[in-house]
Amino acid sequence: MVNISKSQLAIRALQLIWILLITALIGNVLAGKVGTSSSVNYAMFTAAFCWIVWLFGIAAVFYSGLAIPIVLFVMDILAAIFTFVAAVVLAAKLGGGHSCNNE
């Protein structure tokens, strides 16, 4: 049985745009690097995990049998936490912020 919720579909479409952007940026970093960095590898793992969450979420939009609310909630929360941790790790890898007052 098909159950299409327009709000869920819009949120998953927005999620697709961000996951595609993250995957492209991290993939570009990995393609241009000679060595590997664990922080960049973790960011790519996070992007791959987000793709899995997105695929399950979009399938749940179209097939109500897959729409188990607690599973969707846990997967979305884990994807958000992993993405936040990857952002913090990559920001820390840059070496901290630069103060304009400090010459």
Side-chain angles (χ1 to χ4, degrees), residues 44-89:
M44 186 51 89
F45 158 77
T46 300
F49 182 77
C50 288
W51 275 110
I52 293 168
V53 171
W54 181 80
L55 287 171
F56 187 77
I58 202 72
V61 168
F62 290 105
Y63 300 106
S64 60
L66 292 175
I68 305 166
I70 190 69
V71 173
L72 288 170
F73 179 74
V74 168
M75 289 178 72
D76 283 333
I77 291 297
L78 283 175
I81 290 171
F82 288 167
T83 303
F84 179 75
V85 170
V88 169
V89 167

